């Protein structure tokens, strides 16, 4: 298994957030973590790459316990895109170049520069290379963040609500980019989302989270009207469009 | 082929962008060196620029050599070192705490050092001032003042870091701890001055807090130089960690940075520079706040270039302020702390107002 979590538990001083979360992903798998606000979606992602350290349970990457992996080595395997992007005024090129941080010994090499150029080209961002990130639209910025994570040459990509602040067009663009990366580069992805329909378009595994616990985990078959009612307390119906199930709130 | 050409063009524009940043650093260094010569040239005893250059190169007359070697050169080197150190310390504090208002002054380290000087001069009597021919005052036991100022500056740093650790080292908690300790040390200073039996000692301690680049002797300059250069090297070594921190704590961690360790190291070393500068020279406000902000506007936020550029800018600004303080009402010398504060306070207010507008 590329990435596996075994009964991970995490709590803040005054609140239990995660209870016995387990899942396993193979190469090329894409897991969408779904659930209402405060269910613990972001906390799971943070526990997977040691941003937070779970109090109980183990996270494995290729069979190795992540607690025994050095931070720098872990960053060469796992790319992470935070929900809230904080950045000072930097060019797109410099932001993507920062993705080479886990490999930099003294300074960036010509190999690092070449790789960044290649990624920018692949993402259609080469015209933006010398522009500052605060001049970009939300969709462009999100693409830059994915490009930065890919500059880490990761095997696993973690994305915390990558589409939450984007308009419909940009949501689709970002999700298509992620899907392409997963398919072409063979990376595994874990994505937290709110939009069930968007999730149903690209993920092959799903986790429904309720109050810090796994309510359901598996393929698209777990996304049912009953499950959504239980987790979100909303009545929905399913219709099918071009073979893809579409969730319609009632 | 087309793709390769596009990549080469992009590489060329990035290369040009980097060369521009390096040129800016070079220009700042050249400006600081020119300012150093001007500063040696300026003062109550008139020495021509040609004589200054000749003396620095080792071929001046004895009188000029005595003035340059014993008075002006130590002052200029002290200004360069303290300016560079305080500026980079501010730059790293702002980066580490992700707070544009963080600086050695606003975090209360300077106030702690001033408290130490008060204890030395008023409580331990290190400040029986001597009236010189020019009516100036001198501290009779500068070593005790320096040692106690340094002790309290370091104590304040250790306290800030220890308090912050209790709150998982969040940047907000460090700034708040700094503000709280700053108030505490200011209150302590007021109390000592209020209950001082000897008003002459109070005058001496006020004189000390003015800040003066002329206080450091060659022995102290060597110590200041060693510490500043080692610290700058330490910061430069961590420049990529600081760049990652600029993208937020979570992103930095995901890029393999040991955030708490990097922050602890950065804060400790920048506090150490501040403690040494303040204890040798007195309170020199706002260089640590103004210089990094000015540099950021010129060269951008990339710490690879911001660290050396801030060092050069700090040296340039402090030397300029010192030169102004010596020539503006010559032969009298204005307190350097006041000149740097006149420069820094408006910018501080501007930053505050801009911060509120953004919210």
């Amino acid at each position: 298994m590329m990435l596996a979590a075994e009964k991970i538990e995490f709590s803040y001083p005054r609140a239990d957030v995660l209870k016995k979360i387990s899942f396993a992903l193979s190469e090329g798998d894409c897991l969408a973590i779904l659930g209402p606000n405060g269910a613990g979606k972001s906390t799971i992602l943070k526990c997977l790459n040691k941003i937070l350290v779970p109090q109980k349970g183990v996270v494995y990457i290729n069979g190795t316990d992540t607690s025994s992996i050095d931070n720098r080595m872990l960053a060469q395997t796992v790319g992470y895109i935070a929900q809230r992007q904080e950045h000072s005024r930097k060019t797109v090129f410099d932001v993507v170049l920062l993705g080479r941080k886990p490999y930099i010994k003294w300074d960036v090499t010509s190999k690092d520069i070449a790789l960044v150029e290649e990624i920018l080209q692949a993402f259609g961002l080469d015209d933006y290379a010398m522009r500052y990130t605060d001049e970009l639209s939300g969709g462009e910025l999100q693409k830059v963040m994915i490009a930065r994570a890919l500059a880490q040459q990761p095997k696993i990509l973690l994305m915390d609500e990558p589409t939450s602040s984007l308009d419909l067009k940009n949501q689709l663009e970002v999700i298509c980019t992620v899907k392409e990366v997963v398919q072409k580069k063979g990376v595994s992805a874990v994505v937290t989302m709110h939009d069930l329909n968007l999730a149903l378009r690209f993920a092959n595994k799903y986790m429904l989270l309720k109050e810090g616990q796994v309510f359901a985990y598996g393929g698209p078959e777990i996304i049912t009207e009953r499950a959504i009612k239980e987790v979100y307390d909303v009545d929905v119906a399913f219709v099918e469009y071009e073979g893809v199930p579409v969730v319609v709130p009632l | 082929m087309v793709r390769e050409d596009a990549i080469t063009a992009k590489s060329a524009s990035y290369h040009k962008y980097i060369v521009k940043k390096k040129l800016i650093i070079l220009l700042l260094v050249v400006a600081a060196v020119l300012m150093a010569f001007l500063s040696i040239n300026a003062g109550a005893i008139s020495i021509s620029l040609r004589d200054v250059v000749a003396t620095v190169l080792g071929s001046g007359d004895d009188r000029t050599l005595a003035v340059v070697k014993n008075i002006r050169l130590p002052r200029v080197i002290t200004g360069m070192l303290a300016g560079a150190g305080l500026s980079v310390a501010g730059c790293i504090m702002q980066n580490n705490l992700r707070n544009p208002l963080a600086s050695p002054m606003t975090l209360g380290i300077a106030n702690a050092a001033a408290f130490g000087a008060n204890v030395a001069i008023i409580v331990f009597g290190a400040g029986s001032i001597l009236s010189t021919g020019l009516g100036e005052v001198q501290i009779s036991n500068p070593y005790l003042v320096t040692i106690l100022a340094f002790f309290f500056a370091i104590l304040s740093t250790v306290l800030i870091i220890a308090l912050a650790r209790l709150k998982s080292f969040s940047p907000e908690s460090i700034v708040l701890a700094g503000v709280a300790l700053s108030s505490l040390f200011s209150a302590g200073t007021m109390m000592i001055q209020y209950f001082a039996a000897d008003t002459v000692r109070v005058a001496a301690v006020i004189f000390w807090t003015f800040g003066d680049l002329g206080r450091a002797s060659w022995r102290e300059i060597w110590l200041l130089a060693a510490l500043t250069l080692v610290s700058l090297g330490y910061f430069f070594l961590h420049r990529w960690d600081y760049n990652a921190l600029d993208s937020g704590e979570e992103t930095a961690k995901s890029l393999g940075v040991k955030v708490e360790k990097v922050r602890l190291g950065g804060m400790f070393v920048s506090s150490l520079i501040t403690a040494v500068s303040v204890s040798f020279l007195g309170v020199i406000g706002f260089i640590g706040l103004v210089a990094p902000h000015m540099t950021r506007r010129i060269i951008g936020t990339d710490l690879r270039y911001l660290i050396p550029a801030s060092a050069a800018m700090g040296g340039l600004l402090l030397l300029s302020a010192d030169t102004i303080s010596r020539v503006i009402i010559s032969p009298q010398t204005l307190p350097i702390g006041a000149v740097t504060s006149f420069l820094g306070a408006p910018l501080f207010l501007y930053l505050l107002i801009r911060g509120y507008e953004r919210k």
Side-chain angles (χ1 to χ4, degrees), chain B residues 23-164:
Chain B
L23 264 175
I24 293 172
I25 297 173
L26 188 69
L27 278 174
L28 282 170
V29 171
V30 170
V33 172
L34 285 176
M35 193 65 226
F37 278 102
L38 277 175
S39 188
I40 296 174
N41 169 248
I45 298 171
S46 171
I47 305 172
S48 72
L49 207 54
R50 184 189 285 177
D51 287 343
V52 169
V53 176
T55 311
V56 170
L57 295 175
S59 60
D61 63 73
D62 288 348
R63 176 183 158 272
T64 315
L65 187 69
V67 173
V68 171
K69 195 183 164 196
N70 298 329
I71 302 167
R72 297 203 186 155
L73 196 58
R75 190 178 188 105
V76 164
I77 294 174
T78 305
M80 290 264 233
L81 290 170
L86 288 171
S87 170
V88 177
C91 171
I92 298 300
M93 285 173 171
Q94 285 157 17
N95 168 277
N96 280 199
L97 304 179
R98 296 190 50 69
N99 190 324
L101 299 178
S103 77
M105 187 85 176
T106 46
L107 284 181
I109 300 164
N111 270 348
F115 175 77
N118 272 270
V119 173
I121 293 168
I122 296 174
V123 180
F124 293 111
S128 317
I129 57 170
L130 307 166
S131 287
T132 65
L134 294 168
E136 289 173 349
V137 282
Q138 288 177 351
I139 309 292
S140 63
N141 189 349
Y143 294 106
L144 184 62
V145 179
T146 303
I147 288 166
L148 279 182
F150 181 74
F151 171 77
F152 280 101
I154 287 291
L155 179 71
S156 146
T157 305
V158 172
L159 278 174
I160 289 170
I161 290 171
L163 285 169

Side-chain angles (χ1 to χ4, degrees), chain A residues 197 225 228 234-239 245-250:
Chain A
N197 288 319
E225 289 155 0
I228 292 169
V234 172
D235 290 312
V236 295
F238 276 88
V239 291
V246 178
V247 182
V248 182
L250 296 176

